């Protein structure tokens, strides 16, 4: 079955960097666009970043543009989120989500989430 | 990117229906038929319930339905059940901004 597993979270000091990973299985990863979505404690969902299936096109929320970079390695079925210049406003649970190849802009499958605490 | 507007809460008794609204602009909800709805139980990851305004993924009960009129999309849950108690979020494709989420609605089954 489809599985997305995030890793790399933890506690990091303001101004430092962290890289999240999301390992995918159970579907043809190289045909899916991938997103990162975050949720601050007690708050709603916030879309963070998107990457096309082949890595050719990426987009970011204004709140992270210039600081975060999404990338992928289709040979490893893994998507990454490099987070630089972290601030306390980046504290959140980060989810990776898979967006199927037939369009629709839908987040069909989600990981369990990984907590990033900037403190 | 401004969030789509949802009511903070909604409620209904078992067996009743509840409808949640999601209001955006012509740049997102009104401009594209790419509205999705997600259900999130406490401490869990969101789950896709509706996509492309009205479509249900396999496995989602037909008690869940979606619609759209102008800049406002809606999710209706008919025949409310205890397990429907959760937070619900809409989102919409928004062109160059890609995706924008709603503010979220807590549904309570009385």
């Amino acid at each position: 079955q489809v599985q997305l597993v995030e890793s790399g979270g933890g506690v990091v000091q303001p101004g430092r960097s962290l890289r999240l990973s999301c390992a995918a299985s159970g579907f043809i990863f190289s045909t899916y666009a991938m997103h990162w979505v975050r949720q601050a404690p007690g708050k709603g969902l916030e879309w963070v970043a998107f990457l096309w299936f082949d890595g050719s096109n990426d987009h970011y929320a204004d709140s992270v543009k210039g600081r975060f970079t999404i990338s992928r390695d289709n040979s490893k079925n893994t998507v990454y989120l490099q987070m630089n210049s972290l601030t306390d406003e980046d504290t959140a649970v980060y989810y990776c989500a898979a967006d199927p190849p037939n369009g629709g802009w839908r987040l069909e499958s989600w990981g369990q989430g990984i907590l990033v605490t900037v403190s | 990117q401004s969030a789509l507007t949802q009511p903070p809460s909604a409620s209904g008794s078992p067996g009743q229906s509840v409808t949640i609204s999601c209001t955006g602009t012509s740049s997102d909800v009104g401009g594209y038929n790419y509205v999705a709805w997600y259900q999130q139980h406490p401490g869990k990851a969101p789950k896709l319930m509706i996509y492309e305004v009205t479509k249900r993924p396999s496995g989602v009960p037909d008690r869940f339905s979606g619609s759209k009129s102008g800049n406002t999309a809606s999710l209706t849950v008919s025949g409310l059940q205890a397990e429907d108690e959760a937070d619900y979020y809409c989102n919409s494709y928004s062109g160059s901004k890609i995706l924008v989420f709603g503010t979220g609605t807590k549904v309570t089954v009385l």
Side-chain angles (χ1 to χ4, degrees), chain A residues 17 49 96:
Chain A
S17 300
C96 62

mmCIF file of all heavy atoms in Angstrom, chain A residues 17 49 96:
data_model
loop_
_atom_site.group_PDB
_atom_site.id
_atom_site.type_symbol
_atom_site.label_atom_id
_atom_site.label_comp_id
_atom_site.label_asym_id
_atom_site.label_seq_id
_atom_site.Cartn_x
_atom_site.Cartn_y
_atom_site.Cartn_z
ATOM 1 N N SER A 17 19.823 25.385 10.129
ATOM 2 C CA SER A 17 19.203 24.671 9.015
ATOM 3 C C SER A 17 18.803 23.271 9.420
ATOM 4 O O SER A 17 19.334 22.721 10.390
ATOM 5 C CB SER A 17 20.176 24.593 7.829
ATOM 6 O OG SER A 17 20.539 25.881 7.377
ATOM 7 N N ALA A 49 5.359 23.859 -0.128
ATOM 8 C CA ALA A 49 6.169 23.743 -1.340
ATOM 9 C C ALA A 49 5.644 22.624 -2.228
ATOM 10 O O ALA A 49 4.978 21.691 -1.756
ATOM 11 C CB ALA A 49 7.634 23.485 -0.996
ATOM 12 N N CYS A 96 4.635 15.438 4.205
ATOM 13 C CA CYS A 96 4.785 15.337 2.762
ATOM 14 C C CYS A 96 3.497 14.708 2.220
ATOM 15 O O CYS A 96 2.813 13.957 2.933
ATOM 16 C CB CYS A 96 5.997 14.516 2.349
ATOM 17 S SG CYS A 96 5.989 12.790 2.875
#
